[in-house]
Amino acid sequence: MTDAAPIHLRDAVADDRRALYDICVRTGDAGRDATGLLRQPELYGHVYAGAYLQFQPGFAVVADLHGVAVGYVLGALDTVAFEEHCEAEWWPPLRAAYPVRGGGTDIDHRLVTAIHQPRRTPPEVAERYPSHLHIDLLPVAQGLGLGRRLMGALMERFAAAGSPGVHLGVDPRNEHAIGFYEHLGMRRHDHGGGVLFTSRLAAPDGP
């Protein structure tokens, strides 16, 4: 980061949608660029970004470079309510647009399956850690401390809104991300071939 090209944090807006979808693709292969690995690259954004921007804009923060998002953290305050909202309004039109037996690569099929059979958060996780988040940064925004700042910004919002805890899932192949969350002091749980991280949130100090 230089004085001529500072990267700053700001609230995400509807016009960031294209940039967020692009980030999803360029970090989609366990943190690496997935461009060219699937026929319908917009699927990444549909699964991992779009619903947050539409339904939880108050918990969407981006790292901005020259007016373009080069990283983001997206979250939902109440995971169970968010999943129900998606089931009612987000997934149905996508299921119509992307049939299960459509063409494409293995990644296309995996993401289409996620649209038709989205994972539900286990009750024991949602009870103790009701909020969740996703974070991704393009290479230009990495190594600058922005990941920690983005995480801190969203966790502060969750805590201020009364959430007692947050969770997130990680591809076990993404060793860089795993090391990052461990460095932040989050608790790691290995289960079902995946990796889950959790963290309790402290209530904000009173006046």
Side-chain angles (χ1 to χ4, degrees):
M1 183 169 62
T2 68
D3 292 338
I7 299 177
H8 63 278
L9 305 190
R10 62 168 172 81
D11 291 347
V13 296
D15 287 345
D16 289 317
R17 182 178 184 274
R18 179 177 295 182
L20 299 191
Y21 273 45
D22 180 61
I23 294 169
C24 285
V25 175
R26 293 170 63 189
T27 59
D29 183 22
R32 298 180 295 272
D33 194 343
T35 301
L37 299 182
L38 70 168
R39 186 177 298 177
Q40 301 172 106
E42 71 280 1
L43 285 169
Y44 271 116
H46 290 330
V47 172
Y48 295 113
Y52 298 91
L53 191 59
Q54 182 164 331
F55 300 145
Q56 295 277 278
F59 299 97
V61 183
V62 301
D64 179 293
L65 176 62
H66 299 313
V68 178
V70 293
Y72 64 70
V73 62
L74 308 172
L77 178 65
D78 182 332
T79 294
V80 173
F82 177 76
E83 291 173 345
E84 292 175 351
H85 199 172
C86 287
E87 187 58 39
E89 299 185 29
W90 186 254
W91 302 126
L94 290 174
R95 288 167 182 160
Y98 300 96
V100 173
R101 296 186 179 181
T105 68
D106 288 344
I107 296 178
D108 287 274
H109 291 299
R110 175 170 60 82
L111 293 170
V112 169
T113 297
I115 288 172
H116 286 265
Q117 300 173 20
R119 294 181 179 179
R120 288 296 188 112
T121 302
E124 63 272 18
V125 174
E127 182 178 358
R128 285 182 53 82
Y129 310 98
S131 303
H132 78 271
L133 63 85
H134 299 285
I135 180 171
D136 282 304
L137 292 166
L138 294 180
V140 70
Q142 295 175 8
L144 304 173
L146 291 168
R148 179 181 289 272
R149 289 176 58 198
L150 284 166
M151 291 282 289
L154 190 56
M155 288 187 174
E156 285 181 5
R157 295 187 185 195
F158 284 150
S163 176
V166 61
H167 71 273
L168 58 91
V170 188
D171 188 318
R173 298 176 298 155
N174 196 338
E175 296 179 359
H176 177 75
I178 289 172
F180 171 67
Y181 299 127
E182 289 177 337
H183 186 68
L184 289 180
M186 300 186 76
R187 183 180 178 186
R188 175 175 175 168
H189 314 260
D190 296 305
H191 70 102
V195 180
L196 178 75
F197 280 93
T198 60
S199 181
R200 300 295 287 175
L201 298 174
D205 294 335

